[in-house]
Amino acid sequence: MPFWAPNPKAHRSPMKVARAARPSTTSIVRPMQPYDGPINEESPAVSQSDTSDDEECEGCPRERVVSNSSGSKDFCVRNMKLAAFGRREIELAEHELPGLMALRRKVKAEKPLRGARVVACVHLVAQYAVLIETLIDLGAEIRACACNVMSTQNEIASALAEAGVPVFAWRGQTEVDFWWCIDKVVCGDGWQPNMILDDGGDLTHWLAKKYPSILKECRGIVEESVTGAHRLHQIAKAGRLPIPAINLNECVTKSKFDNLYTTRESVIESLKRTTDMMIGGKQALVCGYGDVGKSCCKSLQTMGAHVTVSEVDPICALQACMDGFKIVKVSEVIRTIDLVITATGNKRVITRENMDRMKSGAVLCNMGHSDNEIDVASLKTPELIWERVRSQVDYVNWPDGRRLVLLAEGRVLNQNCSSLPSFVLSITCAAEVVALIELYSAPAGKYKNEVYLLPKRLGECPLYLTSYTYT
């Protein structure tokens, strides 16, 4: 795959089915059928705005032109009637984001991001809305879109649009919609970004492919995910990275807190909400024993599951062994497994050959960033029948009568099927702000066109702020 080839992750075209509704930027005014394509239904587990309002907004949001209360039309969301509800969710999230809010209060007067024009491709959920508004309070202008077509909370996008943020996102985008939204945030009228906040690398890819001159003029990239970081390392190794970048995923504040504790608190909730399954006594296979895999194993073990691990990295495999887990090959145990969770960041970890051998009723899900860890594309064949059971839960029926239970169409399980612990995200979001300030304010020549980790003294800053807030 070329180093900037589009990553077929969370922006494939969703199947068309009935959907349940959910509910200038320098200042904020807070006021059973054969398969025929991917399925799109909203998850009530992620957002509680299941009102009838969205039913009045059928069709693609791109086909409508609406304005907020200030008359601005520079946004595209599903339903502006959800804005007030979204604002309440953002205010609720603020209370559980102490580090980020403390950082906002501490440096707001200094406006360290004055003049920064940030283009952001992130999860459009309440916690990241607080991040966006923090950047604005610190002096930045920002245009935002979603990095995942199924994680957007429509009410949050609407609340941001009502506050004057140019946001282009709605839940259940097609692939065409996804790239259109990225293009809209890059190409604002009379506006050109000079900072990039990315999650997954798609925004950076789009700039490198379509607008290389704009990319070269930016001061830096802050990348949150392991997938995006891998892509940055690829082009940096080839000597083609035009600007400095900070890999936030491997910084201590992200890997040791967000990856670990967010997963620990959300993976069981996601499984319970989607399947109502009893975890105790189940044979579970976790693919990958990085920080996310460790948390999955610990949570499943605590609930009484019999956990085995597949891992190709010898150090991580040894860690799993020392933690009491049996190391196996997927092909050796797949016939007996009740639950498979992928958490590697690699593609086709679970192949069609593996799935052909799995027992009927086995549950299959992904906790890695990309949706191609499970080879879902290989399941889209005429002989297999897809059946939507409930939101984010599909039966994939084999001709011999077996069926697999696929969660969230192979996308990130906890981002699509559960809530996330705001307190832990407070640390990650604060680290993103610190990283943006560092790159934006760094003197010329301090950072070369390479991929860096956030300096330790800066990476610890969100921890001190969070600790101070709670003492």
Side-chain angles (χ1 to χ4, degrees), residues 332-351:
E332 294 175 347
V333 298
I334 198 66
R335 289 183 181 275
T336 63
I337 296 299
D338 301 303
L339 169 65
V340 178
I341 301 178
T342 59
T344 68
N346 296 316
K347 59 184 180 181
R348 291 192 292 276
V349 176
I350 299 297
T351 65

Side-chain angles (χ1 to χ4, degrees), residues 377-396:
S378 69
L379 300 178
K380 299 171 183 178
T381 54
E383 73 272 13
L384 301 184
I385 298 175
W386 287 56
E387 180 184 0
R388 174 51 54 95
V389 183
R390 58 166 64 161
S391 180
Q392 304 292 353
V393 183
D394 294 298
Y395 284 160
V396 183

Side-chain angles (χ1 to χ4, degrees), residues 285-329:
L285 171 65
V286 176
C287 302
Y289 202 70
D291 291 318
V292 173
K294 288 180 174 70
S295 292
C296 290
C297 290
K298 185 64 175 179
S299 294
L300 292 169
Q301 186 183 54
T302 301
M303 297 297 293
H306 304 284
V307 184
T308 54
V309 174
S310 68
E311 174 59 75
V312 297
D313 182 271
I315 302 300
C316 292
L318 182 58
Q319 284 184 306
C321 182
M322 298 298 288
D323 288 339
F325 300 108
K326 184 179 180 180
I327 308 301
V328 299
K329 292 182 178 180

Side-chain angles (χ1 to χ4, degrees), residues 90 145 157 167 219 333 461:
I90 293 172
C145 63
V167 56
R219 297 193 187 184
V333 298
C461 176

